[in-house]
Amino acid sequence: MARYNRWMNEKLYAICAELSDDVRKQDRGAFFRSIHGTLNHLLFGDIVWMARFQQRQGPDRIIAELHADFRELRAAREAMDARILDWSASLTAGWLAAPFTYVSNVDRRSRSMPAWVAVAHLFNHQTHHRGQLTTLLSQLGIDPGVTDIPFMPEFAAVPA
């Protein structure tokens, strides 16, 4: 899932880089208003979860915009994707099965679950909001292409 996450982010950021800043930031009625807002939220979510997973200090409140500049946002996304890949390679079955407790930024309540549930949420959250992003791009007439895991370059089709 970490490799899929990076592949999709690279693909979508390449498409978004072709848009003007005004188009990326135009309020399109999406949950995070714009393409840029959705990209910021995706990064924010990953920052929060990775801080929790790696027992680091993370944001204690929801931040709407981490980076106003698209190039800075893209560089931060690339760094986060590398961090997620490195971290995911270190996971063990024992850690994933162990209880994981954190305090939610949404309601400030403590939640506990097996770590694998929180990890699944990290990747599900990314997929959910990238789905919103591909819808926004489709509304602009931009086809983001196939987004399914079996179409990742590492699973290239072989001739029949």
Side-chain angles (χ1 to χ4, degrees):
M1 290 308 298
R3 289 190 311 272
Y4 172 73
N5 176 61
R6 180 180 62 183
W7 174 64
M8 281 305 305
N9 285 333
E10 288 173 350
K11 185 176 184 169
L12 293 174
Y13 268 83
I15 292 169
C16 291
E18 298 297 317
L19 303 174
S20 71
D21 207 42
D22 288 341
V23 169
R24 278 192 304 269
K25 291 182 177 180
Q26 182 180 358
D27 188 336
R28 300 187 179 283
F31 195 75
F32 295 98
R33 294 186 178 87
S34 65
I35 290 168
H36 192 83
T38 303
L39 292 171
N40 263 281
H41 176 73
L42 275 162
L43 179 60
F44 174 78
D46 290 351
I47 288 170
V48 169
W49 281 102
M50 289 305 295
R52 291 171 179 159
F53 292 145
Q54 296 180 317
Q55 299 176 343
R56 298 180 183 175
Q57 182 64 36
D60 63 353
R61 61 183 174 77
I62 297 174
I63 301 169
E65 185 173 64
L66 298 165
H67 301 280
D69 181 80
F70 180 75
R71 287 181 301 269
E72 291 175 9
L73 180 61
R74 190 176 192 179
R77 173 78 269 164
E78 290 169 0
M80 178 54 69
D81 288 345
R83 180 176 166 192
I84 292 170
L85 274 167
D86 289 346
W87 166 78
S88 69
S90 72
L91 297 180
T92 65
W95 185 87
L96 289 166
F100 183 82
T101 303
Y102 72 97
V103 176
S104 170
N105 286 345
V106 175
D107 64 8
R108 297 288 187 226
R109 296 180 74 182
S110 180
R111 302 199 181 280
S112 189
M113 62 199 66
W116 72 264
V117 173
V119 172
H121 172 72
L122 168 78
F123 293 113
N124 186 64
H125 179 261
Q126 296 164 352
T127 299
H128 168 70
H129 289 296
R130 276 195 304 261
Q132 293 173 334
L133 181 59
T134 59
T135 296
L136 295 173
L137 292 171
S138 294
Q139 290 171 350
L140 290 170
I142 299 168
D143 180 0
V146 179
T147 61
D148 296 334
I149 293 171
F151 288 83
M152 290 174 59
E154 64 197 74
F155 304 125
V158 292

